[in-house]
Amino acid sequence: MNDRLTTVYASIDALIDYALAHLDLDPRNADWARNRIFALFDLDSYPGAEATSCRPCRGEEDRCAQGPERSVGRARIVPDALLSAFRAAAVDCGLFEAQEGPMYADIVMGLLCASPADLDDRFRLVEHRDGGMAAMQWFYDYCVANNYVKRSQLDRNPRFDSHGLTVTINLAKPEFKNMKKAAAGNAVAGGYPKCTICHENEGFAGRDKRTLRTLPVTLGGESWFWQFSPYGYFDQHGICVNTDHTPMHVDRDTFGHLLDFVDRFPGYFLGCNAALPRIGGSVLAHDHYQGGGELLPMHKAAAWTSLTLAGYPDAVVEILDWPGTAVRVVSKNRQSIIDVSDIIREAWVGYDDAANGIASHDADGNRQSALSPSVIVTERGYEMSLIFRNNAVSDEYPEGIFHAHPEYWPVKQEPIGLIEAQGLFILPGRLVGQLGIVEEALAEGRDLPDEVSEFSLEWGELTETLAGNRDREAIRQAIHDELGSVCYRILGNTAVFKQKATTQTFLESLGFAAR
């Protein structure tokens, strides 16, 4: 046997050991799993090795025990290095082309990780013993370990706080500058699965989803499922999807669904995009929510003022000190949360205010206003945030009156959905190179280069801030501050009420009174 083939076999053995240690591969299935990988490449000259058992990785003995009993709380483990070694060895041996590496990595990991039913059983075991949040942590770690969640890439994304917001640059996410492009990017040709988030994607080879694993959940007595996002925007970012392929909508039942979820997983937030083009998600054809294990800046925003409504003494409505238009309903009573939130929703979706440019419907009678709700659990009880959205357009703003205005498009042109409306901005990967050019020009005292001329607004503000300072660290900090400032102003663009007092007037028209 040549040395190249020996290296391939060694890389496969390493993956088998990894699966035994971190993917709960039963040692009784080790030879079977190895042979399934061999069959992919017609490999039949395996020289054999020592009997494979659950050998701990060096220095990681406390993280390698079989089953969920030992995996709760373990450090996150990623297979990147082992998969890179396998791909390099296989390409060097002529088993596949380099560009086919991601596909074969997905195939191999799909063969090595547990079935959906086994994972569901193990999840329920952990949940019964340690609670919902411990079980979700175990499930997330598993999805990182089986390479569905690309944690290493998430960790490489630049991220910083500025102007009360969190700003990230997502190096993996494609940029969709309008909803048509976004919808096209999430379309599925051929009709199966019906869309990119349907349950039928679990294990689907046609979209390299062999390692996708979902978790059944029940919301409002209906069948839904949870899955983590492969290129999440924040820690433990995932979506909760209706098992039925039914269109996105926000109604009274939505509030109950969100509360059901956080009752079971109280350390997560869960929210919903406004179910309208330009202000919602790109998958409007399939009802789903978003959430995860990280509180976003809006969840921590202070209250500008507080109001109450007669008949609901146990509920408080806070107008948030926030650049977008948002209120927060706080109560320990589930029913009060649902009732008060729905009173606000029903009023907003039919609200017209010509003086402030708000039209609830367009000239053809299509609805233009919607709410984006999001709930967390705190010591105060349930906190249901309600973000007011409107997707009207005009001659001046054909992409949306309450959308990022054109002067900010060099930084962010994509629609502002739930996550960004809550203060976590996901900026396009192109900015790394473009802002690198801006930084160089500032450091060298040159004019704004032609290839980034679209950043003239940001350039003017940066040169005024820096006042000739060419220190690299100062320049980078100024660029971060500028990005945060632009994102803050974009949220101001999305605000349907530009003054918080107008929000208060709207609520008072519904019977709310200041505390």
Side-chain angles (χ1 to χ4, degrees):
M1 184 189 307
N2 63 51
D3 291 340
R4 292 180 177 178
L5 198 54
T6 299
T7 303
V8 170
Y9 282 125
S11 70
I12 294 173
D13 281 342
L15 286 169
I16 295 293
D17 282 351
Y18 176 89
L20 288 163
H22 307 301
L23 299 179
D24 297 331
L25 176 65
D26 191 311
R28 295 169 296 178
N29 291 329
D31 287 337
W32 173 71
R34 183 185 292 103
N35 287 333
R36 295 176 77 195
I37 298 173
F38 291 168
L40 293 172
F41 310 108
D42 293 325
L43 296 174
D44 58 7
S45 55
Y46 181 57
E50 296 179 10
T52 306
S53 61
C54 187
R55 298 190 296 270
C57 301
R58 185 169 54 194
E60 298 177 342
E61 290 82 354
D62 61 326
R63 295 184 274 171
C64 293
Q66 293 280 321
E69 289 78 5
R70 298 284 186 87
S71 50
V72 173
R74 67 187 176 193
R76 288 173 188 153
I77 295 170
V78 296
D80 299 43
L82 293 177
L83 287 172
S84 293
F86 163 72
R87 287 167 55 177
V91 169
D92 190 48
C93 204
L95 300 183
F96 52 76
E97 299 296 324
Q99 64 270 22
E100 296 176 302
M103 178 188 70
Y104 278 107
D106 187 63
I107 292 172
V108 169
M109 294 306 289
L111 294 174
L112 293 177
C113 65
S115 71
D118 284 345
L119 279 183
D120 185 32
D121 289 343
R122 296 171 191 183
F123 182 94
R124 292 178 185 278
L125 187 155
V126 179
E127 184 177 23
H128 176 74
R129 187 188 62 211
D130 300 320
M133 291 309 300
M136 198 64 99
Q137 180 69 63
W138 173 82
F139 185 45
Y140 181 75
D141 288 344
Y142 193 96
C143 292
V144 171
N146 83 350
N147 203 45
Y148 184 73
V149 173
K150 307 298 189 290
R151 182 73 205 192
S152 295
Q153 290 183 257
L154 171 61
D155 290 341
R156 287 196 292 269
N157 290 334
R159 174 178 170 136
F160 55 90
D161 293 332
S162 176
H163 289 260
L165 308 176
T166 299
V167 180
T168 68
I169 298 177
N170 196 299
L171 303 177
K173 176 180 176 289
E175 182 179 15
F176 296 122
K177 295 185 178 181
N178 58 56
M179 290 309 298
K180 284 187 177 179
K181 288 184 178 180
N186 285 287
V188 174
Y192 179 84
K194 290 180 180 178
C195 77
T196 57
I197 63 173
C198 280
H199 190 269
E200 289 82 1
N201 284 284
E202 188 171 37
F204 184 56
R207 299 191 61 245
D208 285 342
K209 296 290 185 180
R210 300 167 184 86
T211 57
L212 168 61
R213 297 295 182 265
T214 68
L215 170 70
V217 296
T218 300
L219 304 180
E222 300 173 354
S223 174
W224 290 63
F225 63 92
W226 171 266
Q227 67 182 60
F228 288 108
S229 299
Y231 300 101
Y233 301 151
F234 52 88
D235 189 36
Q236 298 186 49
H237 179 197
I239 58 174
C240 196
V241 187
N242 195 323
T243 303
D244 291 333
H245 183 83
T246 187
M248 282 272 293
H249 63 285
V250 177
D251 58 18
R252 182 182 180 86
D253 289 341
T254 301
F255 304 120
H257 290 169
L258 300 182
L259 293 173
D260 285 348
F261 187 88
V262 296
D263 277 342
R264 185 175 176 186
F265 307 111
Y268 275 13
F269 83 87
L270 194 68
C272 180
N273 266 308
L276 293 174
R278 285 189 299 277
I279 56 172
S282 56
V283 187
L284 296 179
H286 197 148
D287 206 12
H288 68 285
Y289 308 135
Q290 287 193 71
E294 180 177 330
L295 290 186
L296 303 188
M298 195 188 76
H299 293 130
K300 297 173 278 188
W304 178 76
T305 193
S306 300
L307 304 95
T308 58
L309 182 63
Y312 297 94
D314 55 0
V316 174
V317 175
E318 300 173 338
I319 298 174
L320 300 187
D321 187 7
W322 190 248
T325 301
V327 303
R328 180 190 293 142
V329 184
V330 184
S331 179
K332 294 185 177 181
N333 186 319
R334 273 182 57 111
Q335 197 58 50
S336 294
I337 289 283
I338 293 171
D339 289 349
V340 173
S341 297
D342 203 48
I343 288 169
I344 296 171
R345 180 194 66 82
E346 285 193 330
W348 169 243
V349 297
Y351 179 80
D352 293 291
D353 184 352
N356 288 295
I358 300 168
S360 62
H361 293 76
D362 64 18
D364 297 322
N366 298 307
R367 184 164 58 87
Q368 297 185 139
S369 293
L371 282 183
S372 284
S374 173
V375 69
I376 61 173
V377 177
T378 72
E379 69 280 356
R380 298 198 297 169
Y382 301 107
E383 299 190 8
M384 181 76 73
S385 299
L386 306 174
I387 308 169
F388 292 59
R389 306 300 306 273
N390 182 281
N391 73 346
V393 298
S394 67
D395 292 340
E396 183 180 5
Y397 300 113
E399 292 297 326
I401 298 170
F402 303 103
H403 174 68
H405 288 179
E407 63 267 29
Y408 305 128
W409 286 358
V411 170
K412 179 74 176 181
Q413 187 175 349
E414 294 173 298
I416 304 301
L418 173 70
I419 303 306
E420 284 158 325
Q422 295 180 114
L424 174 60
F425 267 76
I426 304 99
L427 303 183
R430 60 174 170 80
L431 284 178
V432 171
Q434 291 172 323
L435 295 178
I437 295 171
V438 169
E439 179 185 321
E440 286 297 322
L442 289 168
E444 295 172 8
R446 296 185 284 113
D447 291 335
L448 178 66
D450 290 342
E451 63 264 43
V452 288
S453 60
E454 67 268 32
F455 291 90
S456 58
L457 181 149
E458 291 78 14
W459 178 267
E461 294 176 348
L462 284 167
T463 53
E464 182 178 351
T465 297
L466 290 165
N469 188 342
R470 297 186 185 181
D471 177 72
R472 287 282 185 172
E473 188 56 38
I475 292 171
R476 288 173 188 149
Q477 184 58 53
I479 289 174
H480 284 183
D481 288 344
E482 179 66 14
L483 287 177
S485 174
V486 168
C487 291
Y488 190 93
R489 284 175 273 177
I490 288 173
L491 280 186
N493 292 160
T494 72
V496 294
F497 298 135
K498 302 305 181 186
Q499 304 295 326
K500 294 176 181 64
T502 312
T503 307
Q504 181 171 349
T505 300
F506 167 78
L507 291 174
E508 287 174 343
S509 73
L510 307 182
F512 289 89
R515 297 181 69 189

